[in-house]
Amino acid sequence: LPIPWCNLHGGFLAGLGLLTLYALGEAVSRRPFWPYLGTLALAALATLINPYGLQYWTYICRAVALPRPEITEWASLWAAYQAGYLCTNPASLAAIIIFAAILWWWAKPQEATPSLVLAVTLVVGIMHQRHLIFFLLATGAYLPPLLTAFLKDFSSRPLLSWTRKVGYRLPSLLLAALTLICTVQVISLHPWELKLATHSDGNKRLLYYPQGALAFLRGHHLSGNLLTEFDWGEYLLWNLYPQCLIAIDGRFETVYPQEVCRQYWNFKYARQDWRRFLTDYPPDLILIYKKSQVYPLVAQEAAWRQVYADTETALFIRQDSLRGWQTTANQKVKEGYGNDQTER
């Protein structure tokens, strides 16, 4: 399993981390931990079967320590909540954490392994919201047996003897009803369909991609190096290759050197040397949010001309490439192409 996993995604470190926690937990509990330690060693050696050999681990170690303040999924829970892009409902998450803490305090388990796994995954999830899923998976694995024991103890208390008559039927019915409600809610959202929003500030459950700008690029056969928003990179790469080469996309440091990424963020957030990316890696086209910090700066640049705009996005083309394109663009406008706001 580690061989395909490590060749598909750097997240294989989570598996090695869990094996480490299990080995440590069993050692603290004074139980045989060598099986876990041996599995960990074999799994780590298996990750060397990749096209890069030891150099892959050099990259992995560097990537783990790499700060990613601009990537929302790497933000802490508090930072994500403040910025409004928390990956889960804060009330539901707080309820799960409180419920897990109370249940764990009641059980006072003697085994160190579950406590260690839950504690570490919670801390990692708080530090980076993308890792919160590991804590939720751990609660799903460890808490049900504790909940069963808690209900049994709860119903055996003298003051609550009436619950013995009901037994587990009432909790089971409540759980079944809750499961049914959640299932209906999930189905009502049509999770099997990809829904794209027409406005970036619309329904938070919908994804926004520049569909109008994409149609404009295709319809006017614009090609070349396209500088765009980080969140749109893969979408445009999938739809426009080989017509356009995209910078930058979600592969991030996997394919782009750290210096390139740094200069890109400087451009995106209109920092002091934002023009450097345009100089070092000159694009032919720029497609960005109209609400972005760098939009007014690009709009004031004499070397760039805005040729398309809608309520959310703006597309710029180099002035030295504009003359050859305008003949085709004007002809398409005369033919009634689209309803976009094309600037002649």
Side-chain angles (χ1 to χ4, degrees):
L1 183 59
I3 296 176
W5 194 6
C6 78
N7 281 276
L8 290 173
H9 197 276
F12 73 90
L13 283 178
L16 299 182
L18 285 174
L19 284 172
T20 302
L21 292 178
Y22 271 84
L24 183 59
E26 295 301 288
V28 172
S29 301
R30 297 184 178 181
R31 287 200 297 263
F33 61 91
W34 291 107
Y36 292 103
L37 205 58
T39 304
L40 172 62
L42 292 175
L45 289 173
T47 63
L48 296 177
I49 305 177
N50 65 78
Y52 311 102
L54 284 173
Q55 291 184 354
Y56 184 48
W57 267 99
T58 302
Y59 156 74
I60 289 294
C61 293
R62 185 175 65 251
V64 169
L66 182 67
R68 301 176 177 87
E70 296 88 357
I71 310 299
T72 57
E73 64 178 358
W74 282 95
S76 67
L77 291 186
W78 178 244
Y81 175 75
Q82 288 181 311
Y85 50 74
L86 189 64
C87 65
T88 187
N89 184 287
S92 300
L93 178 60
I96 292 174
I97 295 175
I98 293 172
F99 172 73
I102 293 175
L103 200 58
W104 208 253
W105 175 83
W106 169 84
K108 295 181 176 62
Q110 300 301 316
E111 298 184 12
T113 302
S115 302
L116 191 60
V117 171
L118 284 170
V120 172
T121 54
L122 177 58
V123 170
V124 172
I126 291 174
M127 293 173 60
H128 305 291
Q129 64 170 341
R130 65 170 288 160
H131 296 140
L132 189 61
I133 184 62
F134 296 116
F135 171 72
L136 298 177
L137 289 173
T139 57
Y142 289 122
L143 295 190
L146 294 183
L147 180 59
T148 301
F150 174 78
L151 291 175
K152 185 176 181 179
D153 178 72
F154 183 80
S155 62
S156 65
R157 297 178 183 273
L159 294 177
L160 300 171
S161 58
W162 62 271
T163 59
R164 287 198 292 271
K165 299 178 181 179
V166 179
Y168 291 105
R169 294 178 183 176
L170 182 58
S172 299
L173 288 174
L174 291 175
L175 181 60
L178 181 61
T179 302
L180 180 61
I181 292 173
C182 292
T183 302
V184 171
Q185 288 180 340
V186 171
I187 293 176
S188 67
L189 296 176
H190 300 280
W192 53 86
E193 297 179 358
L194 178 62
K195 300 178 181 179
L196 301 180
T198 56
H199 302 285
S200 61
D201 56 352
N203 193 329
K204 296 296 184 181
R205 293 195 299 267
L206 300 182
L207 300 174
Y208 175 79
Y209 290 109
Q211 302 172 72
L214 174 62
F216 184 88
L217 285 162
R218 282 176 167 172
H220 291 81
H221 306 287
L222 292 174
S223 60
N225 295 330
L226 174 60
L227 174 58
T228 188
E229 298 284 345
F230 178 80
D231 294 338
W232 300 341
E234 293 98 322
Y235 174 76
L236 295 173
L237 186 63
W238 176 265
N239 284 283
L240 290 175
Y241 182 82
Q243 179 180 341
C244 292
L245 301 180
I246 309 300
I248 284 178
D249 60 84
R251 292 172 297 174
F252 197 40
E253 80 276 0
T254 307
V255 297
Y256 298 98
Q258 187 173 354
E259 177 62 19
V260 175
C261 295
R262 187 187 66 80
Q263 291 186 29
Y264 172 79
W265 296 124
N266 289 342
F267 166 81
K268 177 177 171 60
Y269 292 107
R271 293 167 183 163
Q272 187 173 3
D273 58 345
W274 67 273
R275 289 188 183 88
R276 184 175 174 184
F277 193 94
L278 304 181
T279 303
D280 293 354
Y281 316 101
D284 302 297
L285 303 157
I286 299 177
L287 175 60
I288 51 178
Y289 273 119
K290 292 175 69 176
K291 297 178 182 178
S292 67
Q293 299 175 32
V294 77
Y295 168 73
L297 300 180
V298 176
Q300 294 173 8
E301 288 290 298
W304 293 92
R305 173 73 179 274
Q306 181 174 301
V307 294
Y308 169 87
D310 55 32
T311 57
E312 301 290 338
T313 64
L315 176 66
F316 295 87
I317 188 172
R318 281 184 176 276
Q319 286 282 13
D320 54 13
S321 303
L322 189 61
R323 183 176 300 177
W325 171 79
Q326 273 186 322
T327 302
T328 304
N330 289 337
Q331 182 62 34
K332 287 187 174 293
V333 171
K334 291 177 181 178
E335 293 171 359
Y337 174 83
N339 294 317
D340 51 66
Q341 304 170 23
T342 307
E343 293 187 16
R344 302 189 187 183

